[in-house]
C-alpha cells in the first residue's frame, strides 16, 4: 500500500520541434522531456555586453530567450514530435503530432479559447492483431520512430519489428478532400469545419483533419526490408516519398569480414488513396555503420546519410557523394568517398541540424559536445562534394558541454540544442559576410513561378518538381554562397534550460549555508539538517548538484525587536522643481527598479510596527551600511499606533503611513506633510483600516466593515478621496488590489484615457464576484466575473455554474507581476481561508461577436499548483456577516528579489511564489519559523534582498542564495561543474567533505612491455580508442574545489563507492570512517573481468600556501585485487565488516592490520550483481541480479554465514533494489530495466510463499523514467551516518503532517526526476485510492492519454494493492470548488478538509510541507 510521487519533474530534453503553434505568425518551440511536454515562445532582448562570452561584441545581434507558455505532464513517454499543417486549426497555427512509446499517435492543436492544447485525435497501434507472430517484440520495447511529410500530406510511424502505420492528412486540393467535388456543378469549394475527436480516424466524414490510417508491413514495400534502421520523408516530391535505410542481414562490426557494406538506401512513394507504394530508388553497398537519414531541403535537396565514420549524400537521381572523417572509414567500407581522416571525428550519437538555408550548410553536434560544420559543394543542381570542418574553441566550438539529443532551428542565426547529459541551450551564431548572396526566399519565389508556368513536364520532372532553368539559378546562388571558411561562424549561448540528468548517484551531507550572524541562537533553524547531493551530467558537463526542498536564506543582518508585527522598507526622493532631476545620495548600478537617472536607489528607512498590550506603536530606523539605527529627530510619531501599511506615492516623494484611523504623509525629511483623518463625522464606533494597496498615484483602503476608500495624491502631494459610484458603495468588499498595467495586459491601449490610464482596481465582494475598475473612471465596472469563488479551471465573464453553492472562502486577492528580467506576467492570486493559493493567468480570447466592452475578451486560466497549506483555519464562517476577520499577514508583492518579481506568503508556512521565464509559478518554502511581516530590501550590504520578522520578533535581512536555481524544478538547486563524468559520490561525516569518483576518456595504447606481442610497441593508430580513466577526489564543501586526488590506471572504472564504519584492528576493535571503492578493469570481451577493492582514509595534511581548504588528503590503507568486477559495496552486521559483490559472488570481508581484506562468508549469485544492500543493523540483505531477479539473504555472525531466505521470479532485470519496512511487514522494492517499480513481500506464513522461499509479488507500477538509484530514508530525526542508507531528518513541525514510524524511498532517474515512494496505512490508502479513481474520470488528460493504462498497475492476486499515483492526486486543486465538494462526498471524506488532510499526509512534499527530508 504505497504511493508514488514525483518530487521534481524530468529535466533531460529528449525531443524538440520548432513550429508556429499558438498562431500562424507565432514562433514556438515544443520541448519534450520524456513525459513532460512544454510549449515555449521566443523573445528577443538586447544583448548584455558584460555577459558576452566573446570579445567580438560587434558581431552579435540581440539575444533570443525562451519563455514558457504552458507545460503538461503526459501519461506516456514521448518518442518523437512532428509538425503538421492542417486544413484548419483553432488557433490558425500548425498542429503537433506526438508519438508515444506504446505505438500511439496523438494529434493536438492550440486552443485559444482555453489557452491550452486540445486533442484532435489519438491513434493507437498496440492491438494484438497488429503484432504479427506471438513471439514479436512488444511495441513498447522496440525502437519506434516517426516521420511527417514536409508537405503535411501524411505521417509514418514505424513500430514493432516491421510495421509501418500511415496516417494521411487532408489538404486543400488533394484527393482526400476533393474526391466528390466538381467545380462546374458544385460552385465554390466546400468549407471544412472543426475536427471531431475519434479514435484511429475510422470515419468517412470529411470534417476531420485526417483520413483513416492504415498499417503496411515493411515486407509489402520490399521483401528485402528485413532489418530497418531509419526512415524519413523527403523534400521536393509531388507525392509523399520517404527514404529508408535497411539491411538484409543484421549489421555487425564483429562480422565485418562477412557483412561489409550491407546497407541499402531505398526511396518509396505512397499512393494514399490506393494504400500502395512504388519504389523509386535503391542504392546498395553502403557502409554497414549508417544509422540515420536526414532529409535536406533546397538548395541541396536529397538526403544525408550519417554513419559512425562517414557522411554520404544521395540526391534525387541516386548520385552519391561521401566523406570519411576518420581512418576507419576506408578500413570498414569499400564505398568511394573523400578522405578527411585527419579530423579524427566519431559520429556515433551526433546531431545534425540545418544551419544556413541560403547555402545549405549544417551544424553537427558530436557526442562530446564539439561543434562542426557540414558544407556541400554545389555544381549546378547536383552536389559534387561534402566537407566537414570543426569550430575552434575561441569561436564557440566548446559552448555545449556534452552530446545532444535533438536540435531545432529557431530561425536565422539561432538554434535550440537539447541534451540529456547537460543543460540544453539556445545557440546563436553570426557569420562574416564574404560576398553578397541571394536570399532563399527569392530563390523559392523563382522556383514557384517556373513550376506554375510549365504544365507539360515529363514524368521525372513532374515527380521531382524541378526544371533545368531552376537548377541553373540555384547553382549560381549555391556557388556564390557556399564559400564559407573555418572562421566564418561564431557561436554563443543565448539561453539555457537546467538539466540535472542523468542522476547517477545520491548521498546526504551536512549543508554549508553561510550565516553571518554567529551570535544568532536561531541560526540552526535556517540551515537544513541534511543536504541532498546528486551526481549529474556527462563529459564536460559532469557535476554534483545540491538540492533542497526549502529555501535557506543567506542572512546578512539580525536584530531582535520584541513584539514586532510588521516591517516596511522604502526609498524617498526630494521634491524638486519641475524639470530638475530628483536628488538622492545613495544608489546602486545593478539591474532592478530604476529611477529617472537610470540608477537603482538604495532604501533609506525601515518602519517596524509593534503590538503592545495598550495598543501598538511604530518605530522608524535609518538604514546604514552596517545595519540600521533608530531615528528620533523627525516628526514621525511612534505613539500614533500600529502601522497597517507603508508605501510611497507622488513619484516616491511622499511616504504614506496607513494607521488604523488615519493616513499620515511625510516628505523626504520625514516631516509631516499631511494628516488625513478617516472618520471625522462618523457616528458610533468607527471602523478601522485593516489593509491597503498602493499604485501611484492611488491608495486603496479596506475597512473592518467591509467597505473601501479610494484616495489619490495630486501633483502637490496632497491626499484626497475619489468620489465613488454606486458600483463601489453598494457592495461589501472582502479584498482587492491595485495594479499598474504597464504592458496593457488587461486593458487594451486606448487613446484619450485619463491620468490613471494604467491603474486597474481588482475587487472581490462577499458574493464571490470579481470586479475590475479602470481608475480613469472608477464609477464604471469594466469587467465582472460572478463565479470567481467557484475557482473554475477557466474564469470568464460568461462562465456560469448550474447547480452548486460550494464556494471557496476567498480572504485575499492580489494581482502582481511574477517573473524575472526576461519576462514578467501579471497573475491573479487568491488566498483561501485555509491558506491555499490559487493562481490565475490572464489571457484574451477574441470571439467573432461584437465586443460589449474593452475587457470582454479577458479570461483567466487556472495554473496547476499542487501545494496544500500546512495549517488551515475554520472555513465555516459566513463572509456575508458584518464582522470580517482580517489577515494580520497579507500577501506581499515585491518587484525585485534577486532579480525576480515575486510574491511572499507570510504566516505559519512562509513561502515565496517564484517564476522565471522558463518555468511556471512555483511555491518554494522559506526555511525557518513562521513570518509575521516582510518587505523588500535594497541596501549596499544586502542588494535585492528582503527584511522579515518571524514569530519570535527577530528581524533579519536576507538574500537568495548565490548561484542557486529556485524556479526550474520547484526545489532550490545548485550545480557545481567538475568537467568530468561523476560515477559515484559519498559524504565523509568526520572530515566534513565529499568523496567523488570521476573519470575522463583518454586515448588507450597497447602495452609496449608485453612479452608475447613485441609488435605492439610499433602501434601507430591515428584514431586510438577511448577508455575511461577514473580518479578518486576530495571535494571541499566550503569552496567546492578539488583538494586531493588519487588516480587509477587506464581502463579501471569505479563502479561503486561507500563511506563505511569499518573495524581496522582485530585486537583493539577500533573503528574508523573509511572510503570503500569497487572497480572493474574494462579490457574487452575477450579477456576475463577482474576488479579491485580499495579502502581509503581521509586524513589531515599540510595545506598549500594561502589555501587552507587543501588540508585534507586520501591515504590508501587497503587494496585487494579480486576475480570479477566489484559492482556493489555495503556495510553488514555489527562487527564493522564489508559486503562486496565481486563477479558472481557476494562476499563478507573484514579489514586486517596488514591492509588485507579477509573473507569470512559468501553467497554464490547468478550472472551480474547489480545491487547489494543491508537493512542497517539487522543482517538482512537484498541482492539483485542484472538478469535473474532479486534475492533476500540473511547474515549471521556466530558462525559467519549467509543464508538465502527467498527469491523473486528469475526473469527480472534488476537495476536497483531496497527494503521498505512497514510496521511488522517487510517489502522489497525493485526498479527494473523496463522503468517499472516491482514490489515484493517476504511473508513466510503465506501459503503461496512456500515457507518464504518465494517472494510474493504485490504490485507493478510503471514510472516512465529509467531508474538509477533507490535510497531508504528513515523517519527518526537524528542523523547518524552519511551513507545513502543512513538515517535522515524527516521530522515535521506538526504531528499531523507525517506518518509515525513510516519509511520512504527516494528514487532518482536517468531523466533527472526525483521521486518518492511512501507507505500508507490501510484507511488512508482506501480513501486516496477512491479519490484517484474519481480524479482519473474527472480531470482532462493531455493528448487524450489514459493515466490508468500508462501506470499499468498489476498485482499477483495474493492480496496485493496497486501503487497510487501521487502526481494525479496532486491535481486535486485543478478542480473547481463545486467539483471538489462533489468528489469529496463520493469518496466518503469529511468534506474538502478531509481530502486536504489526507493529501498532506499521503503525498509527502507534493501538496504538503510535512516531509521535511531536506
Amino acid at each position: 500500500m504505497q504511493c508514488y510521487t514525483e518530487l521534481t519533474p524530468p529535466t533531460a530534453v529528449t525531443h524538440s520541434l520548432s513550429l508556429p503553434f499558438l498562431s500562424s505568425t507565432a514562433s514556438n518551440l515544443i520541448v519534450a522531456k520524456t513525459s513532460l511536454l512544454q510549449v515555449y515562445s521566443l523573445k528577443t532582448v538586447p544583448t548584455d555586453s558584460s555577459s558576452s562570452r566573446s570579445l567580438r561584441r560587434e558581431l552579435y545581434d540581440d539575444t533570443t530567450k525562451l519563455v514558457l507558455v504552458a507545460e503538461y505532464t503526459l501519461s506516456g513517454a514521448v518518442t518523437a514530435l512532428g509538425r503538421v499543417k492542417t486544413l484548419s486549426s483553432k488557433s490558425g497555427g500548425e498542429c503537433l503530432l506526438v508519438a508515444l512509446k506504446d505505438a500511439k499517435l496523438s494529434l493536438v492543436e492550440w486552443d485559444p479559447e482555453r489557452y491550452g492544447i486540445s486533442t484532435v485525435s489519438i491513434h493507437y497501434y498496440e492491438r494484438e492483431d497488429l503484432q504479427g507472430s506471438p513471439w514479436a517484440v512488444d511495441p513498447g520495447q522496440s525502437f519506434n520512430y516517426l516521420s511527417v511529410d514536409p508537405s503535411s500530406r501524411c505521417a509514418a510511424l514505424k513500430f514493432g519489428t516491421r510495421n509501418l502505420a500511415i496516417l494521411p492528412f487532408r489538404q486543400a486540393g488533394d484527393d482526400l478532400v476533393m474526391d466528390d467535388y466538381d467545380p462546374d456543378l458544385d460552385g465554390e469549394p466546400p468549407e471544412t469545419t472543426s475536427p471531431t475527436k475519434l479514435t484511429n480516424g475510422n470515419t468517412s466524414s470529411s470534417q476531420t483533419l485526417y483520413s483513416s490510417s492504415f498499417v503496411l508491413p515493411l515486407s509489402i514495400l520490399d521483401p528485402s526490408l528485413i532489418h530497418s534502421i531509419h526512415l524519413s520523408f523527403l523534400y521536393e516530391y509531388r507525392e509523399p516519398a520517404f527514404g529508408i535505410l535497411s539491411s538484409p542481414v543484421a549489421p555487425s562490426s564483429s562480422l565485418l569480414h562477412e557483412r561489409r557494406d550491407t546497407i541499402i538506401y531505398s526511396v518509396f512513394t505512397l499512393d494514399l488513396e490506393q494504400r500502395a507504394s512504388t519504389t523509386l530508388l535503391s542504392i546498395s553497398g553502403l557502409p554497414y555503420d549508417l544509422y540515420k537519414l536526414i532529409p535536406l531541403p533546397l538548395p541541396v535537396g536529397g538526403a544525408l546519410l550519417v554513419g559512425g565514420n562517414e557522411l554520404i549524400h544521395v540526391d534525387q537521381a541516386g548520385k552519391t557523394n561521401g566523406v570519411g572523417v576518420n581512418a576507419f572509414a576506408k578500413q570498414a567500407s569499400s564505398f568511394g568517398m573523400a578522405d578527411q581522416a585527419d579530423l579524427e571525428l566519431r559520429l556515433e550519437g551526433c546531431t545534425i541540424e540545418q544551419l544556413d538555408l541560403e547555402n545549405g550548410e549544417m551544424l553537427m553536434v558530436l557526442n562530446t559536445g564539439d561543434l562542426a560544420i557540414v558544407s556541400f559543394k554545389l555544381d549546378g543542381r547536383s552536389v559534387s562534394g561534402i566537407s566537414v570542418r570543426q569550430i575552434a574553441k575561441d569561436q564557440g566550438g566548446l559552448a555545449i558541454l556534452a552530446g545532444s539529443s535533438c536540435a531545432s532551428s529557431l530561425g536565422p542565426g539561432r538554434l535550440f540544442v537539447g541534451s540529456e547529459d547537460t543543460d540544453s541551450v539556445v545557440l546563436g551564431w553570426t557569420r562574416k559576410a564574404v560576398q553578397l548572396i541571394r536570399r532563399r526566399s527569392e530563390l523559392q519565389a523563382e522556383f514557384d513561378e517556373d513550376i506554375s508556368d510549365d504544365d507539360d513536364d515529363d514524368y521525372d520532372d513532374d515527380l521531382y518538381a524541378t526544371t533545368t532553368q531552376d537548377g541553373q539559378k540555384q547553382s549560381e546562388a549555391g556557388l556564390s554562397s557556399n564559400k564559407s571558411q573555418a572562421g566564418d561562424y561564431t557561436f554563443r549561448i543565448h539561453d539555457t534550460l537546467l538539466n540535472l540528468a542523468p542522476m547517477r548517484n545520491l548521498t546526504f551531507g551536512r549543508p554549508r549555508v553561510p550565516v553571518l550572524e554567529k551570535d544568532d541562537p536561531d541560526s540552526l533553524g535556517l540551515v537544513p539538517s541534511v543536504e541532498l547531493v546528486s551526481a549529474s551530467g556527462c563529459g564536460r558537463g559532469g557535476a554534483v548538484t545540491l538540492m533542497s526542498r526549502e529555501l535557506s536564506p543567506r542572512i546578512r543582518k539580525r536584530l531582535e525587536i520584541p513584539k514586532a508585527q510588521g516591517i516596511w522598507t522604502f526609498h524617498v526622493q526630494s521634491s524638486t522643481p519641475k524639470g530638475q532631476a530628483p536628488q538622492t545620495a545613495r544608489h546602486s548600478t545593478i539591474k532592478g527598479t530604476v529611477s529617472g537617472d537610470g540608477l537603482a536607489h538604495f532604501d533609506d528607512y525601515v518602519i517596524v510596527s509593534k503590538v503592545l498590550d495598550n495598543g501598538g506603536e511604530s518605530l522608524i530606523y535609518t538604514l546604514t551600511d552596517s545595519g540600521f539605527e533608530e531615528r528620533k529627530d523627525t516628526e514621525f510619531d511612534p505613539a500614533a499606533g500600529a502601522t497597517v501599511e507603508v508605501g510611497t506615492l507622488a513619484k516616491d516623494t511622499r511616504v504614506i503611513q496607513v494607521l488604523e484611523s488615519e493616513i499620515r504623509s511625510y516628505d523626504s525629511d520625514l516631516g509631516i506633510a499631511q494628516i488625513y483623518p478617516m472618520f471625522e463625522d462618523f457616528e458610533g464606533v468607527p471602523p478601522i483600516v485593516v489593509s491597503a494597496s498602493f499604485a501611484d498615484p492611488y491608495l486603496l483602503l479596506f475597512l473592518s466593515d467591509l467597505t473601501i476608500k479610494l484616495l489619490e495624491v495630486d501633483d502637490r502631494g496632497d491626499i484626497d478621496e475619489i468620489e465613488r459610484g454606486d458600483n463601489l458603495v453598494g457592495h461589501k468588499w472582502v479584498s482587492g488590489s491595485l495594479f499598474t498595467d504597464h504592458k496593457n495586459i488587461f486593458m487594451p491601449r486606448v487613446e484619450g484615457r485619463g491620468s490613471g490610464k494604467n491603474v486597474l482596481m481588482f475587487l472581490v465582494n462577499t458574493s464571490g464576484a470579481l470586479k475590475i475598475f479602470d481608475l480613469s473612471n472608477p464609477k464604471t465596472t469594466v469587467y465582472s466575473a460572478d463565479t470567481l469563488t467557484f475557482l473554475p479551471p477557466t474564469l470568464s465573464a460568461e462562465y456560469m455554474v448550474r447547480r452548486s453553492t460550494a464556494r471557496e472562502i476567498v480572504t485575499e486577492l492580489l494581482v502582481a507581476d511574477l517573473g524575472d528580467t526576461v519576462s514578467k506576467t501579471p497573475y491573479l492570486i487568491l488566498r483561501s481561508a485555509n491558506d491555499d493559493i490559487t493562481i490565475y493567468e490572464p489571457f484574451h480570447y477574441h470571439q467573432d461577436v461584437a465586443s460589449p466592452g474593452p475587457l470582454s475578451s479577458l479570461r483567466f486560466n487556472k495554473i496547476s499548483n499542487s501545494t496544500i497549506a500546512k495549517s488551515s483555519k475554520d472555513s465555516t464562517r459566513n463572509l456575508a456577516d458584518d464582522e470580517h476577520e482580517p489577515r494580520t499577514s497579507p500577501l506581499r508583492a515585491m518587484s525585485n528579489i534577486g532579480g525576480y518579481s515575486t510574491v511572499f506568503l507570510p504566516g505559519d508556512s512562509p513561502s515565496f511564489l517564484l517564476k522565471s521565464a522558463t518555468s511556471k509559478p512555483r511555491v518554494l518554502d522559506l526555511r525557518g519559523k513562521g513570518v509575521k511581516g516582510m518587505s523588500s530590501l535594497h541596501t549596499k550590504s544586502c542588494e535585492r534582498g528582503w527584511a522579515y520578522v518571524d514569530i519570535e520578533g527577530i528581524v533579519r535581512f536576507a538574500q537568495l542564495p548565490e548561484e542557486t536555481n529556485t524556479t526550474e524544478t520547484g526545489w532550490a538547486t545548485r550545480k557545481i561543474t567538475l568537467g568530468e563524468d561523476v560515477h559515484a559520490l559519498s559524504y565523509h561525516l568526520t572530515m566534513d567533505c565529499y568523496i567523488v569518483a570521476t573519470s575522463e576518456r583518454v586515448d588507450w595504447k597497447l602495452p609496449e612491455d608485453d612479452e608475447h606481442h613485441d609488435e605492439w610497441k610499433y602501434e601507430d593508430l591515428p584514431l586510438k580508442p577511448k577508455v575511461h580513466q577514473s580518479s578518486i577526489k576530495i571535494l571541499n564543501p566550503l569552496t567546492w574545489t578539488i583538494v586531493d586526488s588519487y588516480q587509477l590506471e587506464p581502463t579501471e572504472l569505479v563502479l561503486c563507492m561507500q563511506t563505511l564504519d569499518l573495524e581496522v584492528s582485530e585486537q583493539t576493535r577500533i573503528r574508523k570512517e573509511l572510503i570503500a571503492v569497487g572497480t572493474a578493469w574494462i579490457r574487452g570481451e575477450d579477456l576475463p573481468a577482474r576488479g579491485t577493492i580499495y579502502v581509503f582514509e581521509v586524513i589531515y595534511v599540510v595545506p598549500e600556501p594561502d589555501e587552507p581548504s587543501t588540508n585534507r588528503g586520501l591515504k590508501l590503507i587497503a587494496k585487494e585485487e579480486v576475480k570479477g568486477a566489484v559492482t556493489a559495496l555495503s556495510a553488514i552486521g555489527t562487527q564493522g565488516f564489508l559486503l562486496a559483490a565481486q563477479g558472481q559472488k557476494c562476499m563478507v570481508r573484514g579489514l586486517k592490520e596488514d591492509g588485507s581484506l579477509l573473507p569470512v562468508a559468501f553467497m554464490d549469485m547468478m550472472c551480474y550483481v547489480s545491487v547489494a544492500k543491508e537493512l542497517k543493523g539487522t543482517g538482512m540483505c537484498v541482492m539483485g541480479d542484472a538478469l535473474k531477479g532479486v534475492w533476500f539473504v540473511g547474515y549471521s555472525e556466530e558462525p559467519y554465514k549467509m543464508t538465502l531466505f527467498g527469491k523473486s521470479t528469475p526473469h527480472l532485470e534488476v537495476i536497483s533494489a531496497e527494503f521498505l519496512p512497514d510496521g511488522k511487514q517487510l517489502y522489497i522494492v525493485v526498479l527494473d530495466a523496463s522503468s517499472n517499480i516491482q514490489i515484493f513481500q517476504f511473508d513466510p506464513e503465506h501459503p503461496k510463499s512456500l515457507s518464504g522461499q518465494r517472494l510474493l509479488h504485490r504490485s507493478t507500477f510503471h514510472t516512465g523514467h529509467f531508474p538509477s538509484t533507490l535510497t531508504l530514508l528513515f523517519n527518526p530525526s537524528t542523523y547518524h551516518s552519511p551513507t545513502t542508507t543512513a538515517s535522515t531528518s524527516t521530522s515535521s513541525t506538526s504531528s499531523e503532517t507525517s506518518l509515525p514510524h513510516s519509511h520512504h524511498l527516494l528514487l532518482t532517474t536517468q531523466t533527472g526526476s526525483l521521486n518518492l515512494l511512501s507507505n500508507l496505512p490501510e484507511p488512508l490508502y482506501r480513501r486516496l485510492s477512491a479519490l484517484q479513481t474519481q480524479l482519473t474520470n474527472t480531470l482532462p488528460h493531455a493528448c487524450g492519454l489514459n493515466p490508468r493504462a500508462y501506470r499499468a498497475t498489476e498485482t499477483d492476486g495474493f492480496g496485493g494493492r496497486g501503487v497510487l499515483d501521487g502526481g494525479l492526486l496532486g491535481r486535486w486543486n485543478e478542480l473547481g470548488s463545486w467539483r471538489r465538494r462533489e468528489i469529496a462526498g463520493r469518496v466518503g471524506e469529511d468534506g474538502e478538509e478531509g481530502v486536504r488532510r489526507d493529501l498532506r499526509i499521503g503525498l509527502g512534499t507534493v501538496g504538503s510541507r510535512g516531509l521535511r527530508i531536506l
Side-chain angles (χ1 to χ4, degrees), residues 1107-1150:
E1107 295 183 7
S1109 61
T1110 61
N1111 61 343
R1112 297 171 178 82
L1114 289 171
K1115 177 184 178 182
L1116 179 65
I1117 63 175
K1119 179 181 178 181
E1120 185 83 15
E1121 295 188 0
V1122 297
K1123 295 181 179 180
V1126 182
T1127 57
L1129 294 170
S1130 175
I1132 190 170
T1134 60
Q1135 298 179 349
F1137 285 177
L1138 168 70
L1139 173 64
Q1142 50 189 70
Q1144 295 176 322
K1145 293 181 181 294
C1146 283
M1147 191 168 295
V1148 179
R1149 293 176 175 269

Side-chain angles (χ1 to χ4, degrees), residues 904-1048:
F904 183 74
L905 287 67
D908 295 335
S909 302
S911 54
F912 280 99
L913 193 57
L914 292 167
K915 180 190 180 299
S916 68
T918 56
S919 73
K920 69 176 185 179
R922 300 185 186 276
V923 178
L924 188 62
D925 296 343
L926 178 66
R927 185 173 294 276
K929 300 177 181 179
V931 174
K932 290 184 176 181
M934 192 264 199
S935 177
S936 60
L937 177 68
H938 183 44
T939 64
K940 185 176 181 180
S941 61
C942 187
E943 294 188 352
R944 295 308 175 196
W946 71 91
Y948 69 101
V949 181
D950 64 14
I951 57 177
E952 302 294 335
I954 307 297
V955 177
R956 292 185 176 90
F957 291 179
Q959 288 177 304
L960 292 177
E962 295 179 350
E963 301 178 358
T964 300
N965 189 301
T966 58
T967 58
E968 297 295 322
T969 63
W971 286 40
T973 58
R974 181 187 178 188
K975 288 181 67 173
I976 293 95
T977 302
L978 301 181
E980 297 181 0
D981 289 330
V982 181
H983 297 278
L985 75 162
S986 186
Y987 180 70
H988 197 285
L989 180 62
T990 305
M991 302 297 290
D992 188 21
C993 61
Y994 290 94
I995 314 299
V996 295
T998 66
S999 73
E1000 58 179 348
R1001 298 180 69 86
V1002 297
D1003 291 335
W1004 186 76
K1005 189 176 180 181
L1006 293 171
E1008 299 180 355
D1009 56 351
D1010 191 280
E1011 299 178 355
H1012 304 287
H1013 299 278
D1014 185 63
E1015 70 278 7
W1016 285 1
K1017 67 178 64 176
Y1018 305 108
E1019 177 194 18
D1020 185 21
L1021 285 178
L1023 185 64
K1024 295 182 175 59
K1026 295 285 187 178
V1027 296
H1028 288 279
Q1029 183 169 16
S1030 295
S1031 300
I1032 314 298
K1033 300 180 179 181
I1034 297 179
L1035 182 64
N1036 191 310
L1038 292 176
T1039 60
W1040 296 111
T1041 57
I1042 301 299
V1043 298
D1044 193 24
S1045 177
Y1046 182 91
Q1047 193 172 61
L1048 305 181

Side-chain angles (χ1 to χ4, degrees), residues 84-335:
V84 180
K85 188 174 183 179
T86 56
L87 279 172
S88 63
S89 65
K90 295 180 179 179
S91 65
E94 298 184 6
C95 293
L96 174 67
L97 189 62
V98 182
L100 297 125
K101 187 175 181 181
D102 293 326
K104 292 186 179 71
L105 289 177
S106 182
L107 183 65
V108 298
E109 64 180 348
W110 184 260
D111 186 359
E113 184 177 359
R114 295 176 49 249
Y115 203 70
I117 62 173
S118 174
T119 305
V120 177
S121 64
I122 183 169
H123 311 262
Y124 56 90
Y125 305 98
E126 51 187 349
R127 304 196 308 268
E128 294 182 359
D129 58 325
L130 298 177
Q131 302 308 312
S133 59
W135 55 85
V137 179
D138 184 84
Q141 303 298 325
S142 61
F143 180 68
N144 306 333
Y145 43 84
L146 171 73
S147 181
V148 180
D149 176 49
S151 299
S152 299
R153 290 166 290 193
C154 65
L157 174 69
K158 183 267 174 184
F159 67 96
T161 306
R162 299 182 183 91
N163 289 327
L164 187 66
I166 306 297
L167 176 61
F169 299 106
R170 304 181 188 275
Q171 298 295 338
D174 64 7
D175 294 336
L176 296 175
V177 176
M178 309 298 288
D179 280 342
D180 301 326
Y181 170 65
D182 188 339
D184 296 332
L185 300 177
D186 299 335
E188 294 295 329
E191 294 183 358
T192 58
T193 59
S194 58
T196 57
K197 296 181 183 179
L198 295 175
T199 300
N200 279 1
N202 296 321
T203 174
S204 60
S205 172
S206 62
Q207 295 181 351
T208 59
L209 301 179
Y210 50 89
S211 182
S212 300
S213 62
F214 55 93
V215 176
L216 294 175
L218 291 177
S219 58
I220 293 181
L221 302 178
D222 192 331
S224 63
L225 296 178
I226 300 176
H227 300 279
S228 62
I229 299 174
H230 196 240
L231 173 150
S232 182
F233 280 95
L234 304 177
Y235 289 89
E236 305 305 323
Y237 283 86
R238 290 195 179 275
E239 296 292 335
F242 64 88
I244 184 170
L245 289 174
S246 63
S247 175
V249 295
S252 173
S253 57
S254 60
L255 299 176
L256 190 59
H257 61 287
E258 297 180 0
R259 302 181 181 182
R260 187 185 183 93
D261 298 337
T262 59
I263 302 300
I264 300 174
Y265 171 69
S266 305
V267 178
F268 299 89
T269 61
L270 289 175
D271 188 333
L272 300 179
E273 184 178 1
Q274 301 297 328
R275 299 187 176 184
S277 65
T278 303
T279 304
L280 295 182
L281 183 67
S282 181
I283 301 176
S284 59
L286 297 175
Y288 83 102
D289 58 346
L290 294 176
Y291 66 91
K292 185 188 296 184
L293 185 157
I294 301 175
L296 303 179
L298 291 177
V300 178
L304 182 66
L305 311 182
V306 185
N309 307 310
E310 66 281 321
L311 296 173
I312 298 176
H313 176 266
V314 183
D315 63 11
Q316 293 175 332
K319 179 183 176 182
T320 59
N321 289 277
V323 57
V325 296
N326 57 49
F328 290 102
K330 293 291 186 181
Q331 300 180 20
S333 175
S334 301
F335 187 83

Side-chain angles (χ1 to χ4, degrees), residues 714-775:
D714 58 21
D715 296 337
R716 297 176 300 176
D718 296 333
I719 302 174
D720 196 8
E721 184 174 359
I722 298 178
E723 183 179 355
R724 296 171 294 167
D726 295 338
N727 290 330
L728 288 175
V729 177
H731 294 83
K732 291 190 175 182
W733 307 103
V734 176
S735 182
S737 172
L738 297 181
F739 178 75
T740 304
D741 191 11
H742 294 291
K743 299 180 180 180
N744 298 101
I745 301 296
F746 295 99
M747 181 70 73
R749 196 179 302 274
V750 178
E751 298 294 337
R753 296 173 63 188
S755 60
K757 59 183 179 180
N758 289 328
V759 180
L760 298 177
M761 180 169 60
F762 295 77
L763 298 173
V764 56
N765 59 26
T766 53
S767 299
L770 171 66
K771 305 289 183 180
I772 302 179
F773 297 85
D774 182 5
L775 292 191

Side-chain angles (χ1 to χ4, degrees), residues 46 120 146 153 161 229 360 368 441 487 688 694 742 757 766 856 949 954 984 1049 1311 1318 1327 1336 1353 1374:
V120 177
L146 171 73
R153 290 166 290 193
T161 306
I229 299 174
T368 58
S441 58
I688 61 173
F694 289 85
H742 294 291
K757 59 183 179 180
T766 53
S856 59
V949 181
I954 307 297
E1049 296 293 329
T1311 60
S1318 304
R1327 293 194 298 269
T1336 301
T1353 302
E1374 294 183 20

